[in-house]
Amino acid sequence: MLVLGIESSCDETGVALYDTQRGLLGHALHSQVAMHEAYGGVVPELASRDHIRRALPLLEQVLEQSAEPLTAIDAIAYTQGPGLAGALLVGASVACGLALALDKPILGVHHLEGHLLSPLLASDPPEFPFVALLVSGGHTQLMQVDGIGRYTLLGETVDDAAGEAFDKSAKLLGLGYPGGPAISRMAEFGDPTAYKLPRPMLHSKNLDFSFSGLKTAVLTLVKKHPANICEQDKANIARAFVDAIVDVLVAKCIDALKQTGMKRLVIAGGVGANAQLRAALNAAAQKKRFRVFYPELQFCTDNGAMIAFAGAQRLARNPAAATRDYAFQVRPRWPLDELPPA
């Protein structure tokens, strides 16, 4: 089965072709980071307009990569939610329009399921079951993954997501947008003993997270400095912030593995590309004797490959999941536990 995947939930337009026998045949991605940088964050209207411009050229690029004609597609999967309403509508309308023209079945895919399954695209994929840390700009959740469509929420953030805390703290330090990679790079030059920031909910005896207070602690530190804070002090604060957030994420992952009795941990989402987080998890895995799996770096952020793959996995188990009802709707808010089983 050859499945076309279209992702447009936020500020990346992704298109990919996945074949259930041959694997990923082609994928293309356009990031809007440069466009939104001037505004310090994603502007939803601009994001939607840019998705309109990018979708079809990216599709042509993927078809050329894969050497497959448009008519060879068996089904189309698109991100139905969660995400920005306008951005989701662009991907849904492109997908449904193509499906109608080609008389192909269509399937709406949950964005977070795409992230959860993205490590399965790697050369050394994990086997089910496993614990997954889904950590991005909009989500921080620990999930027990027993199979396709079999997800149990173990814990989640009660306020800011980890990626959101990265972006907001980076903005406080004047590091621009996107903040996550910037604050991570600056932290490499910081003194780990210069400042100590709180580890929110580290000893909460549950698997929930809270990062709003950590962002406030960064704000308090910044206000204690003169207006022109020096670069070394910025690096020191960045290091304290990154160390705090990594300590919490790693500790909660270890607790989740203990509670479930599992030995496999999967990291998914944009923050999964963070170098300090990966180093700390790898060290913990060696010490605690569990295995940790990551998506390839190109699949950490939003992308069409994860949507094509998730759609293909669901259709392989239940071909009737795709329909020829092209009257689409999107779900900007869509809890993962409302997702039907595969």
Side-chain angles (χ1 to χ4, degrees):
M1 180 181 294
L2 184 61
V3 179
L4 173 68
I6 299 176
E7 155 63 23
S8 68
S9 63
C10 189
D11 59 345
E12 276 108 8
T13 315
V15 179
L17 270 177
Y18 182 84
D19 186 275
T20 51
Q21 290 187 337
R22 295 174 290 168
L24 186 64
L25 303 185
H27 68 96
L29 182 72
H30 175 77
S31 173
Q32 302 175 2
V33 164
M35 180 178 68
H36 296 296
E37 188 174 4
Y39 303 95
V42 177
V43 181
E45 178 65 23
L46 294 180
S48 303
R49 290 174 181 269
D50 199 66
H51 287 308
I52 295 170
R53 287 193 292 267
R54 307 294 177 180
L56 293 182
L58 289 174
L59 172 60
E60 293 174 356
Q61 186 178 334
V62 167
L63 292 173
E64 185 177 348
Q65 279 181 20
S66 60
E68 293 283 355
L70 193 59
T71 52
I73 294 169
D74 294 307
I76 300 177
Y78 68 95
T79 303
Q80 189 175 15
L84 300 175
L88 291 168
L89 283 169
V90 175
S93 59
V94 169
C96 290
L98 279 171
L100 174 61
L102 298 170
D103 190 26
K104 301 293 184 180
I106 195 158
L107 174 68
V109 170
H110 198 293
H111 180 76
L112 301 187
E113 181 171 49
H115 275 304
L116 281 178
L117 300 181
S118 60
L120 299 178
L121 286 164
S123 56
D124 180 24
E127 296 179 357
F128 296 115
F130 54 78
V131 169
L133 173 66
L134 180 58
V135 57
S136 67
H139 304 276
T140 303
Q141 297 177 324
L142 277 165
M143 308 290 298
Q144 178 175 322
V145 180
D146 294 310
I148 306 295
R150 298 165 58 197
Y151 314 124
T152 304
L153 180 65
L154 302 174
E156 62 184 337
T157 182
V158 298
D159 42 54
D160 289 356
E164 186 179 1
F166 267 97
D167 286 340
K168 289 179 177 179
S169 296
K171 190 172 184 178
L172 292 172
L173 292 172
L175 301 181
Y177 173 85
I183 200 170
S184 180
R185 285 192 298 271
M186 179 154 276
E188 294 176 4
F189 303 98
D191 178 359
T193 64
Y195 300 107
K196 183 76 170 178
L197 289 176
R199 272 65 172 161
M201 298 187 74
L202 183 62
H203 304 294
S204 62
K205 297 183 180 179
N206 60 33
L207 298 177
D208 289 333
F209 304 87
S210 172
F211 298 113
S212 179
L214 183 57
K215 172 201 64 184
T216 304
V218 171
L219 175 62
T220 302
L221 266 183
V222 170
K223 284 184 173 179
K224 289 181 179 178
H225 287 77
N228 296 319
I229 180 173
C230 72
E231 291 301 300
Q232 185 57 53
D233 260 335
K234 284 186 180 181
N236 293 342
I237 295 172
R239 178 62 183 267
F241 168 79
V242 172
D243 284 351
I245 211 165
V246 166
D247 284 353
V248 172
L249 291 173
V250 172
K252 296 283 185 174
C253 285
I254 292 172
D255 287 346
L257 290 170
K258 287 179 181 177
Q259 289 187 24
T260 59
M262 294 187 185
K263 292 293 184 180
R264 286 185 290 271
L265 175 68
V266 160
I267 309 300
V271 182
N274 181 274
Q276 290 95 340
L277 177 60
R278 288 193 176 210
L281 284 169
N282 290 338
Q286 187 172 14
K287 183 178 179 180
K288 301 289 185 179
R289 298 191 177 183
F290 62 87
R291 289 198 65 189
V292 59
F293 299 83
Y294 309 94
E296 295 181 18
L297 285 175
Q298 62 184 332
F299 299 138
C300 283
T301 57
D302 299 345
N303 61 86
M306 69 183 192
I307 301 304
F309 179 76
Q313 297 307 306
R314 282 193 163 263
L315 291 174
R317 289 158 177 77
N318 179 19
T323 71
R324 282 179 165 81
D325 179 5
Y326 306 119
F328 60 87
Q329 64 175 2
V330 297
R331 302 187 63 177
R333 295 185 180 275
W334 188 6
L336 192 61
D337 56 11
E338 293 182 6
L339 192 64

